Amino acid sequence: MPGALVLSGGGLAGIAWEVGVLAGIANESADVFAKLTRPETTYLGTSAGSAVASQLAGGTPIEELYAQQVAEETAELGAEIDAVAFSEQMAKLMEGVTSPEEARRRIGAFARAADTGSSSARRAVIEARLTVKEWPDRRLLITAVDTDSGELRIFDRESGVSLVDAVSASCAVPGVWPTVEIDGRHYTDGGVRSTSNVDLIAGSDPVLVLTPAPEFGPLGPTIAPEQVAAIGIGARTLVFADEASLIAFGSNPLDPAVRPAAAQAGRAQGKRLAAELLAIWG
């Protein structure tokens, strides 16, 4: 099967870091970057990763994306959030649940009830974030979660949903940003199911998964072992943020001010990663 590039959730810091990592890879090995982004690659984006995946799949040059992240001026709006406290809040919501779907329904209800401001203002931010606003010809999958059923929704160019709406839904952090209504259903962040949803690209080879978080968090592995196992036995590389990157993120990944430092830390990590990918993928 063709390869896959999986871009996980992680707020504005995550967007900047993922772009930085990919820019660093491109700097060190144009061949590896070309293999990552060849026409048959599947792009899978969750939350922050949906923004990066959609722009790469749409053909935006990685250096242009990087320049956006290190620029001081931005259309992004910040939000006050503590990453550790937010994880603990989500864990509390899931106490006593009997199924993953029930957990996601609880979080969905929380997201619907929260006072999160104007939906139109939030959509305008996402629209400004995207340099490409139409679905690309390449295979691009964007994840979100139905707030009422708890089911995963996978948006692609065959879904009949605009790219801006799909990315808005995937980036709708519960309790922080408003849910997104599409065809009468409300959707929240794709990371409610999984930070990366890597099982959706099972069988792809090679696979690169970028996750702007430590490998292990307060609730255990950032990516569930069963999801990693679902990828298969091909060439796969799971990359988590290194110590310098985590420091650059600070305590609030939704603060626009962290973008330049996160992008620079990601770029440094990507440069080191390029040699590893070249050795694995040839």
Side-chain angles (χ1 to χ4, degrees):
M1 277 188 72
L5 178 57
V6 181
L7 298 161
S8 308
L12 297 179
I15 292 175
W17 178 82
E18 289 171 354
V19 167
V21 170
L22 292 167
I25 292 171
N27 293 157
E28 291 298 302
S29 176
D31 289 343
V32 169
F33 186 76
K35 188 167 187 177
L36 277 174
T37 57
R38 56 190 177 179
E40 59 268 33
T41 294
T42 293
Y43 295 81
L44 171 60
T46 293
S47 196
S50 70
V52 182
S54 61
Q55 303 315 283
L56 278 176
T60 305
I62 189 61
E63 284 301 325
E64 181 179 331
L65 293 176
Y66 183 80
Q68 291 173 351
Q69 295 306 314
V70 296
E72 291 186 7
E73 293 186 3
T74 179
E76 298 287 355
L77 296 176
E80 290 295 331
I81 184 174
D82 182 283
V84 174
F86 181 77
S87 295
E88 292 173 348
Q89 183 180 33
M90 293 299 103
K92 188 172 183 179
L93 282 173
M94 292 185 284
E95 288 178 357
V97 299
T98 57
S99 70
E101 291 77 15
E102 182 185 355
R104 295 195 289 268
R105 287 194 294 270
R106 284 193 187 182
I107 295 174
F110 165 77
R112 290 284 301 272
D115 181 7
T116 51
S118 166
S119 295
S120 59
R122 174 61 178 166
R123 190 183 190 280
V125 169
I126 299 298
E127 190 165 16
R129 178 184 295 174
L130 303 184
T131 55
V132 175
K133 298 176 177 61
E134 302 295 331
W135 286 96
D137 292 333
R138 298 187 177 194
R139 188 170 187 241
L140 169 65
L141 308 177
I142 292 177
T143 64
V145 170
D146 187 306
T147 59
D148 294 322
S149 69
E151 295 178 351
L152 177 70
R153 175 78 185 269
I154 305 169
F155 296 106
D156 62 17
R157 65 175 176 268
E158 306 299 329
S159 301
V161 174
S162 76
L163 181 61
V164 174
D165 284 340
V167 174
S168 297
S170 191
C171 293
V173 181
V176 177
W177 304 124
T179 59
V180 175
E181 184 176 359
I182 298 173
D183 298 331
R185 308 291 298 183
H186 282 258
Y187 295 92
T188 191
D189 199 301
V192 168
R193 177 183 185 262
S194 164
T195 189
S196 58
N197 293 295
V198 293
D199 54 315
L200 301 180
I201 48 87
S204 298
D205 185 16
V207 175
L208 175 63
V209 183
L210 299 184
T211 303
E215 185 173 0
F216 295 92
L219 305 180
T222 298
I223 302 178
E226 58 269 22
Q227 288 216 354
V228 176
I231 301 174
I233 60 174
R236 64 190 189 194
T237 304
L238 276 63
V239 180
F240 299 90
D242 62 13
E243 184 175 357
S245 298
L246 294 172
I247 292 172
F249 296 170
S251 61
N252 181 7
L254 298 183
D255 181 357
V258 307
R259 294 159 42 258
Q264 291 161 5
R267 191 169 197 158
Q269 188 172 352
K271 288 181 176 181
R272 296 191 299 271
L273 177 64
E276 177 186 340
L277 294 177
L278 186 61
I280 294 173
W281 297 355

